[in-house]
Amino acid sequence: QVADTLAKEGCSSPSYDWFQTDSSVTIVIYTKQKDINLDSVIVDHQDDSFRAEILIKDYSYIIHVELSHEIEEDFSVRVVENVGKIEIVLKKKENASWKRLGHPLENHNSLILRKDTGLYYRKCRLISKEGVTHDTKLFCLMLPPSTHLQVPVGQHVYLKLTITGTEIVKPYTPVSDSLLSEFKEPVLLNNKYIYFLIKIYPAGLFTPELDQLQIGDFVSVSNPEGSFKISQFQELEDLFLLAAGTGFTPMVKILNYALTNIPSLRKVKLMFFNKTEDDIIWRSQLEKLAFKDKRFDVEFVLSAPTSEWNGKWGHISPALLSEFLKRSSDKSKVLICICGPTPFTEQGIRLLRDRNFSKEEIHSFTA
Ligand code: FAD
Ligand code: NAD
């Protein structure tokens, strides 16, 4: 049935094969898809289990085995994009010849709907924690050497901690380590670090516990999720970002990616809503970026400003939007991204629809 549905979407079912030399074992996965890249491949080797999940549209193709022999911790992943071939090269611990790859585990060699795969976690080490505002911190986590995982632009992961015997899970959106470092392809960096901007709520369930972790402690990180697609940037001319509070987090990678990789882009505008000046995340970086890159503008709007504030104030409103949403030309291709507290996002979408922006021109970030 899955194969039928895929066939209708123009995909055929993936398959895999493996071969070996004296020192290595190569697993080759034929996705038969053209839009496969390193973001589409998630590989984990934990204890006795070797698991590769290949993201193909709304499906996951899974290789999951208990390997027949031991391997070294690190491995390499290569994608031949034009034919959708993936090669995972494992290093043998001993030079023996393998008779078989291993013993099949749950969902091995099957294609399943992503929403049915369940969240898969690996333990990541806390590397650093740095204050950004009075209540928001930049956390850096390191993936284990035996994991290949890249979180795509606009997607989130789940963090999991066991708190007084109960597993607690909350979604968070990875960011770049800063707005100003040149955007580098994660491929080139072979990036093992994942950064998060997280606001600590003193009365919250999860964030005070996260804040209590010591450098070197572990947090479980899930596979990525989310509906944002890089293809939404195709031919884009005007990008408008509406963020409130930590709803800024998805905008970080979007900003870095769009300013670096979209040649058609003319204008990027961020309207950033916060309660007070002290709540603004990365204010000076945003101002520096606006100074450095003439295509980028930022405006801060405060809902509870002090009497000294002479900038914009209030909640998201028709008046604020009409001034903000000026396109570079009448027919320019536009994308508006919106993220923040649910009432903010819902109100924003209503106002944008009232201004006749189409559903395709609006991307809202929600759970
Ligand atoms: P909670 O226990 O959820 O409480 C949060 C606040 O609400 C506290 O002040 C608490 O006192 C109050 N509260 C709780 N219950 C009630 C109640 N019944 N009545 C009144 N008040 C109540 N956050 C980030 O900081 N960074 C991110 O990158 C990020 N990304 C996200 C991505 C997605 C897709 C989503 C959906 C959310 C994201 N969040 C992000 C929010 C995050 O998931 C958590 O909701 C947040 O960290 C709060 O978790 P908590 O358990 O600490 O607080
Ligand atoms: P906050 O309480 O500091 O509020 C920030 C601003 O949001 C306010 O200044 C105001 O302008 C606006 N706002 C708040 N309540 C509003 C309302 N009822 N109507 C209209 N505007 C309102 O925000 P925070 O504590 O940083 O919370 C950020 C929110 O963003 C959280 O709810 C978090 O779950 C959400 N978030 C979602 C995602 C996602 O879905 N991908 C990612 C990150 C954060």
Side-chain angles (χ1 to χ4, degrees):
Q1 202 182 345
V2 170
D4 286 352
T5 318
L6 265 185
K8 274 189 212 131
E9 290 176 18
C11 323
S12 47
S13 196
S15 60
Y16 83 102
D17 201 354
W18 68 282
F19 61 87
Q20 59 186 315
T21 66
D22 281 350
S23 58
S24 69
V25 167
T26 301
I27 301 172
V28 188
I29 297 158
Y30 305 95
T31 66
K32 299 161 195 159
Q33 295 296 305
K34 285 214 169 77
D35 48 359
I36 297 292
N37 56 44
L38 278 171
D39 283 359
S40 335
V41 187
I42 304 168
V43 187
D44 290 277
H45 180 225
Q46 304 196 60
D47 305 320
D48 290 336
S49 140
F50 179 87
R51 187 178 183 280
E53 180 168 344
I54 318 301
L55 313 176
I56 304 170
K57 299 196 163 72
D58 294 333
Y59 295 88
S60 279
Y61 175 67
I62 294 174
I63 297 292
H64 194 191
V65 290
E66 183 185 330
L67 293 173
S68 63
H69 292 68
E70 284 193 78
I71 56 167
E72 300 289 349
E73 227 180 14
D74 61 320
F75 47 77
S76 64
V77 179
R78 223 168 63 88
V79 174
V80 187
E81 294 199 11
N82 54 352
V83 288
K85 185 170 91 166
I86 297 157
E87 289 179 351
I88 307 168
V89 185
L90 314 176
K91 291 181 205 147
K92 290 179 177 175
K93 259 208 172 137
E94 285 162 12
N95 281 4
S97 166
W98 295 19
K99 294 216 164 43
R100 53 189 199 134
L101 183 61
H103 176 75
L105 297 173
E106 193 189 0
N107 293 328
H108 174 59
N109 195 17
S110 55
L111 184 69
I112 36 188
L113 267 172
R114 261 179 96 176
K115 65 177 175 56
D116 297 336
T117 54
L119 287 172
Y120 190 82
Y121 290 89
R122 69 286 300 150
K123 287 203 170 90
C124 295
R125 197 184 280 277
L126 177 64
I127 296 297
S128 64
K129 182 175 78 169
E130 180 191 306
V132 172
T133 68
H134 62 100
D135 59 7
T136 301
K137 295 182 178 170
L138 180 69
F139 289 82
C140 173
L141 302 182
M142 187 171 73
L143 288 165
S146 51
T147 291
H148 168 91
L149 168 67
Q150 293 176 176
V151 182
V153 173
Q155 298 206 5
H156 56 269
V157 295
Y158 292 83
L159 299 186
K160 180 167 79 177
L161 285 174
T162 302
I163 302 172
T164 54
T166 309
E167 285 189 341
I168 309 287
V169 168
K170 295 269 167 146
Y172 295 94
T173 315
V175 296
S176 331
D177 60 343
S178 98
L179 280 173
L180 298 164
S181 59
E182 291 302 311
F183 186 80
K184 299 178 199 84
E185 280 292 320
V187 192
L188 300 176
L189 275 178
N190 187 19
N191 219 335
K192 284 283 171 194
Y193 299 107
I194 308 187
Y195 294 88
F196 297 93
L197 283 165
I198 297 180
K199 173 164 168 177
I200 312 299
Y201 296 87
L205 185 59
F206 188 84
T207 49
E209 290 291 327
L210 186 73
D211 196 29
Q212 285 298 311
L213 294 182
Q214 303 296 311
I215 302 305
D217 286 350
F218 288 93
V219 190
S220 294
V221 177
S222 78
N223 286 1
E225 257 190 10
S227 57
F228 187 83
K229 294 196 175 62
I230 287 288
S231 57
Q232 289 171 261
F233 289 135
Q234 246 164 39
E235 309 296 321
L236 192 67
E237 296 171 84
D238 290 318
L239 175 60
F240 297 108
L241 309 174
L242 294 163
T246 57
F248 172 60
T249 54
M251 310 308 176
V252 172
K253 283 200 191 181
I254 285 184
L255 254 176
N256 275 344
Y257 185 89
L259 288 173
T260 317
N261 295 292
I262 313 299
S264 53
L265 197 69
R266 291 203 200 138
K267 199 79 216 157
V268 185
K269 287 174 83 177
L270 167 68
M271 189 168 259
F272 194 1
F273 295 80
N274 285 279
K275 295 198 287 277
T276 69
E277 277 183 89
D278 290 346
D279 294 321
I280 303 175
I281 298 170
W282 284 355
R283 178 179 181 173
S284 75
Q285 287 198 42
L286 284 164
E287 286 169 340
K288 277 188 198 137
L289 184 63
F291 181 76
K292 208 177 94 180
D293 193 323
K294 291 296 159 229
R295 295 169 301 168
F296 176 61
D297 281 334
V298 58
E299 283 184 44
F300 302 108
V301 182
L302 301 183
S303 59
T306 60
S307 53
E308 281 101 71
W309 177 252
N310 46 29
K312 293 196 165 61
W313 61 278
H315 275 186
I316 191 165
S317 66
L320 282 171
L321 289 185
S322 74
E323 204 192 313
F324 177 66
L325 296 166
K326 296 244 165 66
R327 15 194 345 153
S328 58
S329 71
D330 275 358
K331 294 229 161 61
S332 65
K333 187 168 178 227
V334 176
L335 178 67
I336 307 168
C337 295
I338 180 162
C339 186
T342 308
F344 166 87
T345 307
E346 285 175 351
Q347 173 72 355
I349 295 170
R350 269 195 301 275
L351 296 174
L352 293 169
R353 298 289 288 148
D354 289 348
R355 293 182 63 85
N356 292 324
F357 286 101
S358 68
K359 289 201 170 113
E360 292 68 39
E361 288 172 326
I362 306 170
H363 186 93
S364 62
F365 291 88
T366 47

